[in-house]
Amino acid sequence: WDSNKGMKVKEVQSHDSRINCISSSFSSSNLLATAGKDKKINLNDFRIRNPVVNSFFGHTQEICGLKFSNDGNELASGANDNVLKIWDIHSTHTPKWYLPDHLAAVKAISWCPWQKGLLASGGGSDDKTIKTWNTNTGTLIQSVDTGSQVCCLNWSTTSKELISSHGYTENQITVWKYPNMSKVIELKGHTDRVL
């Protein structure tokens, strides 16, 4: 869309079913990643005639989380198959890391803006954990039980903190101090999940 003119610039039909998530790396490579129910991740460059420049396959169920790294060279994907995958967008179609440590769908994904290779992921209602990862080595740094489904994660750009939003059972918003993951504050005013 051209936001100034309020007009559609281009439309692409590159998935066989609904698209659940998108992530852009416009600051580094002009790519838009799309993923969804068809278990496929497409890398799109809308400046060219045929915008799908690469596709990744590897999840066995619907993809519900997708996030480019800050430098645009890696892409993290999570799905209803309870797996987090890290893809090198310049490499083959095989994931760089296959991380099956969650016990439920992985929707919440966030790359740390002040530490390269630090990624946080959150699991659904049968998991309820926030996990932090070193994506340089593919290792789990820590896992914290939040008591509720993890719906969204965002790192602070100004302090070493991580904010999470939740669903069942508490529907809370929590600010965590990193790296010890102690709670700074927990807000419980919502009556349903915070997306």
Side-chain angles (χ1 to χ4, degrees):
W1 293 89
D2 182 322
S3 59
N4 292 325
K5 296 177 182 175
M7 294 175 53
K8 182 169 38 176
V9 176
K10 194 169 206 172
E11 183 174 307
V12 177
Q13 300 287 332
S14 62
H15 288 274
D16 300 327
S17 191
R18 70 174 171 231
I19 299 169
N20 295 329
C21 41
I22 62 173
S23 182
S24 70
S25 70
F26 294 151
S27 60
S28 60
S29 63
N30 292 305
L31 291 176
L32 178 72
T34 57
K37 190 173 182 178
D38 61 5
K39 302 172 262 189
K40 174 173 63 172
I41 300 168
N42 284 334
L43 297 183
N44 305 277
D45 184 342
F46 291 103
R47 298 169 301 160
I48 60 177
R49 181 180 173 104
N50 297 314
V52 179
V53 295
N54 205 349
S55 295
F56 298 120
F57 302 88
H59 285 287
T60 59
Q61 292 186 33
E62 187 168 356
I63 299 168
C64 54
L66 196 62
K67 192 70 77 164
F68 268 107
S69 61
N70 299 315
D71 63 8
N73 291 320
E74 292 181 310
L75 184 66
S77 63
N80 289 349
D81 58 11
N82 308 344
V83 175
L84 175 68
K85 293 187 177 193
I86 312 299
W87 308 86
D88 178 340
I89 68 159
H90 305 293
S91 188
T92 64
H93 298 278
T94 307
K96 178 181 175 183
W97 303 114
Y98 172 88
L99 308 168
D101 296 48
H102 282 287
L103 302 175
V106 182
K107 177 182 168 86
I109 301 171
S110 185
W111 292 89
C112 180
W114 35 262
Q115 184 174 328
K116 185 174 170 52
L118 177 59
L119 178 72
S121 62
S125 56
D126 287 338
D127 182 87
K128 300 181 176 91
T129 65
I130 295 173
K131 298 184 186 310
T132 53
W133 306 90
N134 179 333
T135 64
N136 298 316
T137 61
T139 55
L140 177 66
I141 298 169
Q142 64 185 320
S143 181
V144 177
D145 186 349
T146 68
S148 296
Q149 166 191 26
V150 183
C151 297
C152 189
L153 292 167
N154 279 300
W155 291 94
S156 170
T157 57
T158 57
S159 60
K160 293 194 174 184
E161 293 177 340
L162 177 67
I163 188 167
S164 59
S165 72
H166 301 269
Y168 179 79
T169 59
E170 298 293 325
N171 306 312
Q172 78 270 31
I173 298 171
T174 307
V175 178
W176 306 86
K177 193 72 175 162
Y178 188 82
N180 65 3
M181 293 300 284
S182 60
K183 290 181 185 176
V184 176
I185 192 167
E186 191 166 61
L187 308 169
K188 293 188 177 181
H190 287 279
T191 58
D192 208 338
R193 64 182 173 163
V194 185
L195 300 174

